[in-house]
Amino acid sequence: MRLRAERVMERPHCASTCVNEEATMTTIPRTAPTAPGRIPVLGHALRLAHPNRLGYVQALRGHGPVVKIFIGPREVYVLNSPEALQQMLLTQAGTFTKGMLFDRTRPFFGNGIMSSNGVFHRRQRRMVQPAFHKQRIAEYFERMSALASEHIEAWAPDTVFMADRRMRETATYLISHTLFSSQAAERMTAVVETALPVITTGVAWRTLAPVGLLYRAPLPANRRFDAQCAQLRETARLRAEADEVLGGRPITYSDLQRLRHTSAFINEVLRAYHPTWLLMRRTTSPLVIDGVAIPAQAEILYSPATLHRDPLLYPEPEHFDPDRWLDGRTNALPRCAYIPFSAGNRQCIGDSFAIAELHIVLTTLLRRWLIEPVPGRRARETAHAVLYPRNLAVMVTAPPQE
């Protein structure tokens, strides 16, 4: 299966991008405008700490392709346009390293493939890459499908659970039991379930704290952090396609090409509900991005979640519409307008694994359970290190027997 992200990346450079890149060579670079609302000492940090921080980052798109904010005294350049992201992720990728966000996570996650830079990162990526080759994904598929059936079949009917927690448990179970021994997988699952909620909250706080000492203070959130350091619409169409293609049997790797609506549904989930609202990079030398001069050692911020909700790229972005991936409306998207797994030399190495896992879990759920939101419970989108649906309670029931 070819990833949607890969198909976007394979498109030729759009004309506007070529003109933009040519313009940067012949015109004097602009200075990035500073977003309004900066206050002394804190800069824009309070806006980023507000519960509606995602809405604030979304609103920054209205100030141009590159806009400057301040986290405390530190300048941060926010890249909004697909063209600016293309230059950072692809054409000028060699002049960027991981930024402040990964400085905060490195002491806890180590200098692994996600957070390392330069030669060390390239060596790690080469070592890990064979495990995620297309042929290996096909080999994993049967085991993942069996594990998903075993795990999901064990759920008790007529029970209520929190959707984000149960899906995190399922994803961790499949990844750990597919790639590691049973004993190691059990340990990994336990550690992730205990530590991940605390870590995701702590990472966001430490990155956005305007003064470095704040995240070292003996506050309750810091102590917890240091100590432990889905959209469900269109079910009928998805179920009908699964019934037609699979006929009640578990999914296999060869089924992926035929599950067109399922793939479109997953693409739309990754667009409308992308979990990453904040990523960062750091420049290694002065450069020009989308006509704007950016100095060396500047912090760069970009947001796949708000990019994917830009109405100039996706009309009616708040409308969950898988058909946009089937009827040609997304064919003319600029390069880097859809980056569910990033792009370039830092594209997620496990992207094919993740897409396979999403298809397996979704089709297995449809085959075994009816899932409905609990009446009277209103979910709220919450942004910590990642976006997640707080208070999304759902009930699973057995489907009616035909």
Side-chain angles (χ1 to χ4, degrees):
M1 180 186 179
R2 301 300 299 276
L3 291 178
R4 177 70 197 179
E6 293 174 342
R7 292 200 294 269
V8 172
M9 288 172 55
E10 289 169 356
R11 294 195 190 100
H13 294 298
C14 64
S16 63
T17 301
C18 296
V19 170
N20 209 1
E21 291 176 345
E22 182 179 352
T24 62
M25 296 186 291
T26 57
T27 60
I28 298 174
R30 307 186 306 276
T31 300
T34 298
R38 179 187 180 190
I39 61 177
V41 181
L42 299 178
H44 299 87
L46 290 182
R47 302 298 300 272
L48 292 171
H50 190 274
N52 190 31
R53 57 179 70 94
L54 180 66
Y56 175 67
V57 176
Q58 189 80 52
L60 290 176
R61 305 187 67 80
H63 295 286
V66 181
V67 61
K68 185 164 56 177
I69 64 173
F70 287 80
I71 299 178
R74 184 183 290 273
E75 294 181 346
V76 177
Y77 292 81
V78 182
L79 305 190
N80 290 320
S81 70
E83 292 76 18
L85 291 172
Q86 179 182 330
Q87 291 172 50
M88 181 186 71
L89 296 173
L90 297 173
T91 58
Q92 300 191 62
T95 57
F96 291 88
T97 63
K98 293 289 189 172
M100 187 164 58
L101 175 65
F102 294 93
D103 292 343
R104 301 292 187 252
T105 62
R106 199 172 287 117
F108 310 100
F109 294 129
N111 197 31
I113 191 170
M114 183 179 73
S115 55
S116 58
N117 292 303
V119 174
F120 186 68
H121 169 261
R122 290 192 293 272
R123 184 167 68 245
Q124 287 188 309
R125 192 174 180 96
R126 283 195 296 267
M127 291 172 58
V128 176
Q129 189 75 58
F132 295 98
H133 190 273
K134 182 179 179 180
Q135 181 178 346
R136 296 301 303 274
I137 300 299
E139 294 171 2
Y140 298 147
F141 206 91
E142 184 176 349
R143 175 160 174 74
M144 274 202 290
S145 184
L147 286 167
S149 294
E150 173 190 321
H151 184 72
I152 292 170
E153 290 278 352
W155 296 356
D158 301 319
T159 57
V160 174
F161 59 76
M162 303 309 293
D164 63 309
R165 185 181 307 159
R166 183 61 61 90
M167 290 298 98
R168 186 174 64 242
E169 292 171 354
T170 301
T172 304
Y173 180 86
L174 293 184
I175 294 169
S176 60
H177 285 75
T178 299
L179 298 179
F180 301 96
S181 68
S182 296
Q183 187 175 5
E186 293 299 335
R187 289 198 302 268
M188 175 183 290
T189 301
V191 169
V192 169
E193 282 308 303
T194 302
L196 192 61
V198 177
I199 289 173
T200 56
T201 301
V203 164
W205 164 241
R206 290 175 178 227
T207 300
L208 301 177
V211 181
L213 290 175
L214 290 180
Y215 70 76
R216 299 187 182 95
L219 302 173
N222 287 336
R223 286 197 294 267
R224 288 194 298 269
F225 184 80
D226 291 333
Q228 297 193 343
C229 248
Q231 174 64 258
L232 299 177
R233 299 176 198 163
E234 304 209 349
T235 303
R237 292 176 67 184
L238 290 171
R239 193 180 299 278
E241 181 179 72
D243 289 343
E244 178 184 349
V245 174
L246 306 179
R249 61 172 172 79
I251 185 174
T252 66
Y253 189 71
S254 61
D255 295 321
L256 291 179
Q257 294 289 351
R258 299 173 60 199
L259 293 167
R260 294 183 67 248
H261 186 73
T262 303
S263 296
F265 181 92
I266 289 170
N267 280 335
E268 184 68 350
V269 168
L270 293 173
R271 181 201 69 81
Y273 302 107
H274 196 284
T276 307
W277 71 280
L278 181 149
L279 284 171
M280 300 189 77
R281 294 287 190 271
R282 181 178 295 129
T283 59
T284 58
S285 59
L287 73 161
V288 176
I289 292 288
D290 210 353
V292 174
I294 299 178
Q297 298 302 308
E299 295 294 334
I300 307 296
L301 184 152
Y302 68 105
S303 171
T306 61
L307 171 74
H308 292 172
R309 300 177 187 184
D310 189 329
L312 296 179
L313 300 170
Y314 302 95
E316 298 183 276
E318 301 303 320
H319 177 50
F320 187 83
D321 182 12
D323 285 339
R324 74 173 80 233
W325 303 99
L326 298 173
D327 59 15
R329 279 177 285 162
T330 58
N331 290 348
L333 283 173
R335 209 171 180 185
C336 292
Y338 182 67
I339 49 172
F341 299 100
S342 192
N345 63 357
R346 304 311 295 247
Q347 181 161 326
C348 175
I349 198 169
D351 50 4
S352 296
F353 187 100
I355 288 292
E357 183 181 29
L358 285 165
H359 280 80
I360 288 170
V361 171
L362 182 55
T363 56
T364 304
L365 285 172
L366 290 169
R367 179 165 53 87
R368 179 62 183 89
W369 298 110
L370 293 175
I371 303 178
E372 297 179 324
V374 175
R377 301 284 290 273
R378 182 178 179 182
R380 188 175 82 244
E381 188 174 54
T382 303
H384 288 312
V386 295
L387 289 175
Y388 70 95
R390 175 177 289 180
N391 201 38
L392 179 55
V394 297
M395 173 173 283
V396 293
T397 57
Q401 298 298 317
E402 297 182 357

